[in-house]
């Protein structure tokens, strides 16, 4: 039998509140709107973790834009470690050739997933490609990633909420928090 889960009770520490995230998203949206003024933008986001950030960020950008969604998963790895071997589950639905593309990510950890995606998207011939991530965990970086828009640098802790999951749970929390260590040991 699965235990009843109290999502909030599983959180040890709230790292970023809903208000802090909203203020940062507005700031990033303003910067992006200024930087791309007079141009059209294509936002490409990576499911599922980036979904809340994408939804909030796009509404803070004052430009004509279109969106596209990809979904990737890494082969192997664990619930808290990515393996770097990326499988595309859902590809872009339209061509990005000649477009100004902004890749919207939830978190950059080792950088392996994004490194793969950047090469993949560049191969599609966009006019430009920039990276926007809500969270950056630089301590664990294995490959260098040119981040153009960064929300928050966070310490080397596994975080959940605002799209981020542990075993597919906690994505619906409105804040970003650190799981209690006990939670990792329990069966899903
Ligand atoms: P990377 O390839 O190591 O940069 O990992 C990127 C992906 O791993 C992210 O898009 C997340 O899905 C996942 N990930 C990395 N760190 C965390 C975390 O602290 N919480 C939840 N998911 C994470
Ligand atoms: Mg994940």
């Amino acid at each position: 039998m699965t235990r009843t889960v109290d999502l909030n009770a599983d959180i040890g520490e709230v790292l970023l509140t809903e208000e802090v995230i909203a203020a940062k998203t507005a700031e990033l949206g303003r910067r992006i709107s200024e930087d791309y003024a007079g141009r059209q933008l294509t936002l490409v986001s990576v499911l599922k973790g980036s979904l809340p950030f994408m939804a909030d960020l796009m509404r803070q950008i004052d430009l004509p834009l279109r969106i596209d969604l990809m979904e990737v998963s890494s082969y192997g790895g664990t619930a808290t470690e990515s393996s770097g071997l990326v499988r595309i589950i859902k590809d872009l639905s339209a061509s990005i050739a000649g477009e100004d593309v902004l890749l919207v990510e939830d978190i950059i950890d080792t950088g392996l997933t994004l490194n793969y995606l950047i090469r993949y998207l560049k191969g599609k011939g966009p006019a430009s490609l920039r990276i926007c991530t809500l969270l950056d965990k630089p301590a664990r970086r294995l490959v260098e990633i040119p981040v153009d828009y960064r929300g928050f640098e966070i310490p080397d802790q596994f975080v959940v909420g605002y799209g981020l999951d542990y075993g597919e749970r906690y994505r619906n929390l409105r804040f970003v928090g650190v799981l209690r260590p006990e939670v990792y040991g329990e069966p899903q």
Side-chain angles (χ1 to χ4, degrees), residues 130-158:
R130 285 188 182 173
I131 311 298
C132 175
T133 187
L134 178 68
L135 307 175
D136 188 4
K137 252 197 254 180
R140 292 187 17 111
R141 195 63 39 82
L142 294 177
V143 284
E144 202 182 316
I145 301 287
V147 181
D148 301 283
Y149 304 97
R150 176 187 289 104
F152 304 94
E153 217 175 273
I154 60 167
D156 183 10
Q157 283 173 309
F158 192 79

Side-chain angles (χ1 to χ4, degrees), residues 104-128:
V104 178
E105 259 287 23
D106 50 356
I107 186 165
I108 310 177
D109 188 22
T110 62
L112 293 170
T113 308
L114 210 50
N115 188 50
Y116 173 89
L117 276 174
I118 289 169
R119 278 184 296 157
Y120 180 79
L121 292 174
K122 279 191 172 161
K124 305 269 180 197
S128 68

